[in-house]
Amino acid sequence: MATVNNGMVTPVAAGSAIITVTSVADDTKMAQCTVTVIPATIAVTGVSLNKTEIWMTEGKTETLTASVAPEDATDKDLIWDSSDESVATVNDGVVTAVAPGIATVTVTSAADGSKQAECTVMVSRETVLVTGVKMDKSTLSLAIGEAGTIAAAVEPANAWNTDLIWITSN
């Protein structure tokens, strides 16, 4: 764990060692010192994400993976944050799309907060396809000069595009 040369102790690896000094004149006369070598602190030099942007539909989740450099950094703890939690939330890299909009997910090194990476999250409405159109009347009789109303609705009610086009055959 440590070497010694004329009292100069040099750490070699983490752990502990006992340094002993003995009198040349009388080898029964000695003293000892316990040396504890603590591991060197290796600072984070960078943080990166596996994606810089993702497209999601509301209600879906996707996992972002963060990497810390160097691989042997002492403190690899990360802090995750969303710029707009009404659009997207993040919990340990798991992004949940909440509502349409754009948010930025940021991951930051916890040790000093100076290294970070970002991913832009774009959330859109869930695409629900139209399955049918209904009218409130199947027949309508009108005299010339009268007006009548026919109501129509797209099914399902939460379809992505509920616009209608009205035409007549005659």
Side-chain angles (χ1 to χ4, degrees), residues 78-150:
L78 298 170
I79 299 167
W80 293 86
D81 186 50
S82 170
S83 65
D84 189 345
E85 291 196 348
S86 68
V87 173
T89 61
V90 63
N91 184 9
D92 288 329
V94 178
V95 180
T96 302
V98 178
I102 298 174
T104 301
V105 168
T106 305
V107 61
T108 306
S109 60
D112 65 4
S114 68
K115 307 300 183 232
Q116 62 181 223
E118 295 181 341
C119 179
T120 302
V121 179
M122 290 151 285
V123 179
S124 61
R125 283 183 63 198
E126 181 179 6
T127 302
V128 177
L129 300 177
V130 174
T131 59
V133 177
K134 279 190 170 183
M135 287 187 172
D136 66 340
K137 299 174 182 77
S138 60
T139 63
L140 179 62
S141 297
L142 298 170
I144 296 175
E146 284 186 317
T149 304
I150 303 171

Side-chain angles (χ1 to χ4, degrees), residues 7 13 26 29-30 35 47 49 53 63 76-77 101 108 113 119 138 144 156 169-170:
D26 181 353
K29 307 297 184 216
M30 68 176 81
V35 175
V47 176
L49 286 169
E53 67 177 32
T63 301
K76 293 184 180 183
D77 290 341
T108 306
C119 179
S138 60
I144 296 175
S169 66
N170 192 357

Side-chain angles (χ1 to χ4, degrees), residues 9-77:
V9 179
T10 304
V12 177
S16 62
I18 298 173
I19 305 295
T20 305
V21 62
T22 307
S23 166
V24 173
D26 181 353
D27 64 1
T28 65
K29 307 297 184 216
M30 68 176 81
Q32 292 183 328
C33 175
T34 301
V35 175
T36 302
V37 179
I38 57 174
T41 300
I42 301 171
V44 173
T45 59
V47 176
S48 61
L49 286 169
N50 62 324
K51 296 180 181 179
T52 57
E53 67 177 32
I54 52 177
W55 287 88
M56 301 176 71
T57 55
E58 56 190 347
K60 303 296 182 189
T61 62
E62 185 158 340
T63 301
L64 292 174
T65 304
S67 299
V68 174
E71 287 185 21
D72 60 346
T74 304
D75 185 351
K76 293 184 180 183
D77 290 341

